[in-house]
Amino acid sequence: MTKYKIALMPGDGIGKDVMDAAEIVLEKLALDAEYVHADIGWEFWCKEGEPFPQRTVDLLKTCDCALFAAITSKPKEEAEAELIPELQGQGLIYRSPIVRLRQQFDLYTNLRPCKAFEGNPLNYRDDIDLVVFRENTQGLYAGVEFHPLPADVRMALEKHSANMAAFDNVASEDIALSTRIFTREGCQRIVRRAFEYADQHGYPTVTIVEKPNVIRETSGLMVREARKISAEYPEIDLWETNIDAMAMWLLKNPDDYGVLVSSNMFGDIISDLAAQLVGGLGFASSGNIGDELAVFEPTHGSAPKYAGMYKVNPMAMLLAIKLMLDWLGETAQAAALEQAIAEVIAEGQVRTYDMQGNASTLDVARAVAEKL
Ligand code: IPM
Ligand code: MG
């Protein structure tokens, strides 16, 4: 038996292109691992009405971790229209498989490092080293949403909030409600992971990015819990910054910041901004980490118009492998891979189109593998 069992989930569009790139590097790394393919994505929605089939859930339960590439998501009406005729009109609802995967396996930490590699022409600045900790299962992604607003939900809201009076004259069909749910434990565990990481990697600050002056209860709970946890780390400063101001500060003084921690939606937004500072989504990797399973992915989407062209930058996917190696405890291999990636970027000989080069996705992977 191998030491590790790792699922590979290419998904849709360029997901397959970058997974092929990943496999070149994995082969070179020669981990003591068994790799198993897992079905996920649009293809399975269209054919089976289920983009995240139960067989994939079952397979993941037997794995140590997984690499996921990208999937396509479409709005409700378009999703219905692309189902095979036999499945249409059955009330099947498409929900993003990656969001479900995070929730079903309680992958509550979304770790998103954004570090500028020397010599990357796309860097906004060369001195950026940020790590975003995004809560990954709750908040606005909890999936508790209503439209039209059911009468009993409306009554409960009227009973408990004087502010509902502002909507007295609006018909229930004309109200849509998406809830933002935080639990104390949900706040504690993500903030704790952020402090542990800052501690282990020598970052002097953790910035909690919320908006407690307006979103008093949810953001308020998270900030209060952060203050308590911060007391256990006297050598690390807790900075409290509102999400809007954070967007501004990240453009103005990105080098002031180290570890950022935020809730699901704000973390989603701020991590795209942070990614752009270090060359865009082509360089942004992410780890969805729970206590039992972890799934590593590039942050970018499936870019259908480039599918199968082997044109896109695989660096985000290769950096996701680096995160996976760290998580597995294969830290020497992780450091070697990061070094190989840094060298290929610094030398600037093998670059995809986003970096003004004409190398293919697989050329980049081969160049990284060669450095290894
Ligand atoms: C991300 C993506 C996903 C998210 C989408 C694809 C559902 O934007 O991983 O940041 O919103 O979390
Ligand atoms: Mg996102």
Side-chain angles (χ1 to χ4, degrees), residues 41-101:
W42 196 251
E43 182 187 340
F44 305 99
W45 162 255
C46 298
K47 287 196 305 211
E48 302 174 23
E50 175 52 272
F52 185 32
Q54 185 58 40
R55 62 183 176 278
T56 298
V57 176
D58 293 339
L59 181 65
L60 285 172
K61 286 183 186 159
T62 70
C63 292
D64 296 285
C65 60
L67 280 175
F68 167 82
I71 32 186
T72 301
S73 291
K74 298 186 187 179
K76 225 157 96 175
E77 292 76 17
E78 278 172 63
E80 168 80 22
E82 290 194 29
L83 284 171
I84 54 168
E86 301 88 295
L87 292 173
Q88 287 188 17
Q90 291 186 13
L92 293 169
I93 307 276
Y94 182 87
R95 255 194 92 209
S96 165
I98 183 66
V99 173
R100 285 166 55 198
L101 174 60

Side-chain angles (χ1 to χ4, degrees), residues 1-24:
M1 220 175 97
T2 55
K3 189 165 171 203
Y4 307 119
K5 185 171 175 187
I6 300 173
L8 302 181
M9 299 188 277
D12 306 310
I14 57 147
K16 294 188 170 59
D17 302 33
V18 296
M19 189 60 85
D20 286 351
E23 290 192 62
I24 291 173

Side-chain angles (χ1 to χ4, degrees), residues 121-336:
L122 302 177
N123 284 345
Y124 174 71
R125 293 250 301 260
D126 291 330
D127 54 358
I128 297 168
D129 180 7
L130 296 163
V131 185
V132 180
F133 276 77
R134 163 188 179 189
E135 199 292 320
N136 215 19
T137 57
Q138 307 187 342
L140 273 170
Y141 282 65
V144 183
E145 302 193 281
F146 307 93
H147 183 237
L149 192 60
D152 51 349
V153 175
R154 185 167 193 151
M155 265 162 53
L157 293 174
E158 281 163 359
K159 179 164 170 229
H160 293 286
S161 174
N163 289 336
M164 270 306 282
F167 304 99
D168 272 354
N169 298 323
V170 187
S172 292
E173 306 80 72
D174 298 327
I175 303 184
L177 172 70
S178 302
T179 61
R180 189 176 196 253
I181 304 180
F182 287 26
T183 64
R184 190 186 304 280
E185 198 213 347
C187 294
Q188 285 170 344
R189 60 188 186 172
I190 190 67
V191 171
R192 195 169 284 290
R193 295 293 94 79
F195 271 93
E196 284 167 359
Y197 188 94
D199 189 38
Q200 282 158 16
H201 296 85
Y203 288 91
T205 61
V206 169
T207 306
I208 175 118
V209 186
E210 280 298 317
K211 186 96 187 182
N213 54 338
V214 178
I215 317 177
R216 311 189 88 85
E217 302 311 336
T218 43
S219 287
L221 179 68
M222 192 160 175
V223 171
R224 287 190 297 275
E225 292 306 319
R227 287 179 192 159
K228 289 186 214 159
I229 290 167
S230 155
E232 298 169 31
Y233 294 86
E235 67 292 353
I236 300 171
D237 286 337
L238 175 69
W239 290 354
E240 299 175 14
T241 307
N242 286 338
I243 175 74
D244 51 341
M246 192 72 231
M248 187 231 352
W249 288 119
L250 276 184
L251 286 181
K252 195 161 192 282
N253 295 327
D255 55 321
D256 281 358
Y257 295 90
V259 173
L260 311 181
V261 59
S262 193
S263 54
N264 212 337
M265 182 89 256
F266 291 168
D268 180 40
I269 296 167
I270 215 74
S271 60
D272 270 23
L273 172 50
Q276 191 56 38
L277 299 176
V278 298
L281 292 177
F283 295 88
S285 58
S286 126
N288 301 278
I289 303 171
D291 292 333
E292 307 291 334
L293 181 78
V295 178
F296 299 88
E297 55 165 329
T299 304
H300 60 65
S302 64
K305 71 173 178 180
Y306 292 127
M309 293 166 73
Y310 293 97
K311 203 176 144 95
V312 298
N313 194 340
M315 286 304 190
M317 183 82 225
L318 306 185
L319 287 163
I321 299 177
K322 187 257 173 199
L323 291 180
M324 178 181 86
L325 292 168
D326 273 327
W327 183 80
L328 287 171
E330 301 286 346
T331 49
Q333 296 255 48

